[in-house]
Amino acid sequence: MSTDRLSGLLDEYAELEKRLADPAIHADQSTARRVGRRFAELAPLHKAAGELEQARADLDAARELAGEDPSFAAEADAIAATLPALEERLAELLIPRDPHDAKDVILEIKAGEGGEESALFAGDLLRMFQRYAERRGWATEVIEAQDSDLGGVKDVSLAIKTKGVPDGGNGVWSRLKWEGGVHRVQRVPVTESQGRIHTSAAGVLVLPEAEEVDVSIDPNDLRIDVFRSSGPGGQSVNTTDSAVRITHLPTGIVVSCQNEKSQLQNREQAMRILRARLLAAAQEEADAAASDARRSQVRTVDRSERIRTYNFPQNRITDHRIGYTAYNLDLVLAGDMDGVLDALAEADRQARLAGDTELKRS
């Protein structure tokens, strides 16, 4: 156990506690929320360190008393037996965690191979994530969506936020970060007249939502174009040029938004997505520099690169990264995702305890 690391983190916790006690910090809600998240993230470590320190003090006292009265020996042995579990818990909390775990996310779903059936499946995934968020008490907001003709979605960006400060620093990202990749569906499409099972896919990209302090964007690096919004099939749904397309020139990242009625609102939403993508790109560069085994999410919607399969005839869901299989697909699509997400979280915990940086998210 790193004594220096523990001491540094406990000092940081004490400093954050002082900052949050100062009423002045709440004048800036963005800063207060960021400090509150970090404080909540360190709270389990502070609690575990305190419990271990108290147990050791109680053991010393019991052993001292046992020297005068043998009846205290059993109490000392009982206290000593609790120490390994407390030490293991503290050691686990000292393993560097994902720095984005407390963050909210922007989740993008894109239809891929399979035409209209893929768009319908992308719509199923959208509703699955919305229902899961509702179960967790999170707020959701569709930032941008391109609907398909039969009621599916070709492309959608969904913001998912915790309400208040996430407990223990475990925000939306800590639960949904492994959802990025290709999701494959096997079922009889509504467009299939012969009753044959088809395979199609949709791509999911999960981005930690970046605050302005996380990403610095030079306005001179942006090209902003406006155009008229359009609906399914290309028909015009707005008589003014309210839709916005932002191009980040240094990286070539392009973001378009047209869901809102005003140009200003669409620009703000596009900037949210752009900040999240730039933060993810910066993180990928850091990961690539730190390791040859680059950890990134699948960007292409190719059925052969799937992370998970949803098999409707068997009511089966299979996560191919960890070998997880369950026959409750109907419940998962209704938002009961904790089974597969808990399995992924446990696999990640075991990987970090074994010395790997994290479970690969694709």
Side-chain angles (χ1 to χ4, degrees):
M1 186 185 301
S2 172
T3 304
D4 290 342
R5 175 170 167 74
L6 175 60
S7 178
L9 292 173
L10 292 178
D11 287 345
E12 182 184 357
Y13 178 89
E15 180 60 31
L16 293 172
E17 189 173 33
K18 289 180 182 178
R19 292 187 66 185
L20 288 172
D22 183 355
I25 194 175
H26 300 287
D28 183 344
Q29 286 301 309
S30 177
T31 300
R33 181 174 171 81
R34 188 170 65 255
V35 172
R37 281 177 172 174
R38 179 58 176 165
F39 181 76
E41 192 175 298
L42 292 176
L45 176 72
H46 178 265
K47 180 181 179 183
E51 289 175 348
L52 179 58
E53 182 180 5
Q54 184 61 54
R56 286 171 172 169
D58 291 345
L59 178 60
D60 289 342
R63 283 174 172 169
E64 185 176 339
L65 290 171
E68 302 172 1
D69 184 348
S71 65
F72 283 98
E75 182 179 346
D77 290 342
I79 295 173
T82 68
L83 292 184
L86 292 173
E87 290 169 346
E88 182 179 353
R89 170 64 175 159
L90 185 57
E92 183 177 330
L93 289 169
L94 279 170
I95 297 173
R97 62 184 293 173
D98 189 324
H100 299 313
D101 271 353
K103 288 186 176 295
D104 299 323
V105 307
I106 292 178
L107 188 147
E108 299 181 2
I109 307 171
K110 299 179 186 296
E113 296 181 12
E116 190 64 43
E117 162 63 5
S118 177
L120 290 171
F121 177 53
D124 291 337
L125 292 177
L126 170 63
R127 287 183 287 275
M128 178 184 75
F129 289 120
Q130 289 173 319
R131 290 164 179 165
Y132 180 67
E134 183 178 354
R135 286 170 175 256
R136 301 284 297 194
W138 297 336
T140 61
E141 173 193 4
V142 174
I143 299 176
E144 176 71 2
Q146 295 181 30
D147 299 329
S148 70
D149 293 331
L150 294 184
V153 291
K154 298 177 182 177
D155 193 343
V156 62
S157 295
L158 178 72
I160 308 178
K161 292 179 172 290
T162 55
K163 297 177 181 178
V165 175
D167 185 36
N170 296 312
V172 182
W173 174 261
S174 72
R175 291 298 285 172
L176 297 185
K177 58 186 172 183
W178 299 290
E179 292 304 287
V182 173
H183 295 240
R184 183 177 67 170
V185 62
Q186 296 172 328
R187 65 183 175 187
V188 178
V190 295
T191 55
E192 169 59 53
S193 59
Q194 303 299 317
R196 293 173 298 186
I197 295 174
H198 286 229
T199 298
S200 61
V204 175
L205 179 62
V206 187
L207 305 169
E209 180 153 14
E211 300 177 40
E212 291 190 28
V213 295
D214 295 325
V215 178
S216 177
I217 300 177
D218 186 342
N220 295 322
D221 289 339
L222 302 179
R223 186 178 72 234
I224 301 176
D225 302 305
V226 295
F227 57 98
R228 191 158 298 179
S229 301
S230 62
Q235 71 267 30
S236 175
V237 296
N238 199 327
T239 57
T240 61
D241 291 337
S242 61
V244 173
R245 180 186 301 108
I246 299 179
T247 303
H248 186 250
L249 299 175
T251 61
I253 294 175
V254 179
V255 179
S256 298
C257 277
Q258 62 179 10
N259 273 24
E260 303 296 339
K261 293 182 179 180
S262 79
Q263 187 181 121
L264 179 61
Q265 289 174 316
N266 281 320
R267 175 170 173 159
E268 290 175 348
Q269 299 288 46
M271 287 298 294
R272 287 176 65 186
I273 298 174
L274 177 60
R275 279 195 293 269
R277 290 187 182 177
L278 287 173
L279 179 63
Q283 185 64 54
E284 286 179 10
E285 286 185 16
D287 290 344
S291 171
D292 291 333
R294 182 173 179 176
R295 288 168 171 80
S296 63
Q297 298 177 62
V298 176
R299 295 300 195 273
T300 58
V301 188
D302 181 337
R303 288 195 299 260
S304 67
E305 296 181 314
R306 84 279 190 221
I307 62 166
R308 189 176 299 153
T309 295
Y310 302 74
N311 183 292
F312 276 69
Q314 298 178 19
N315 197 35
R316 170 175 56 83
I317 177 173
T318 299
D319 194 287
H320 304 285
R321 295 163 294 182
I322 57 174
Y324 174 92
T325 295
Y327 293 86
N328 63 342
L329 175 57
D330 54 338
L331 297 178
V332 172
L333 290 175
D336 187 4
M337 299 177 64
D338 279 328
V340 63
L341 294 180
D342 286 344
L344 286 161
E346 177 59 21
D348 175 67
R349 189 182 76 88
Q350 293 296 337
R352 289 187 295 111
L353 287 173
D356 197 1
T357 55
E358 62 177 7
L359 172 70
K360 290 186 179 181
R361 292 195 290 274
S362 63

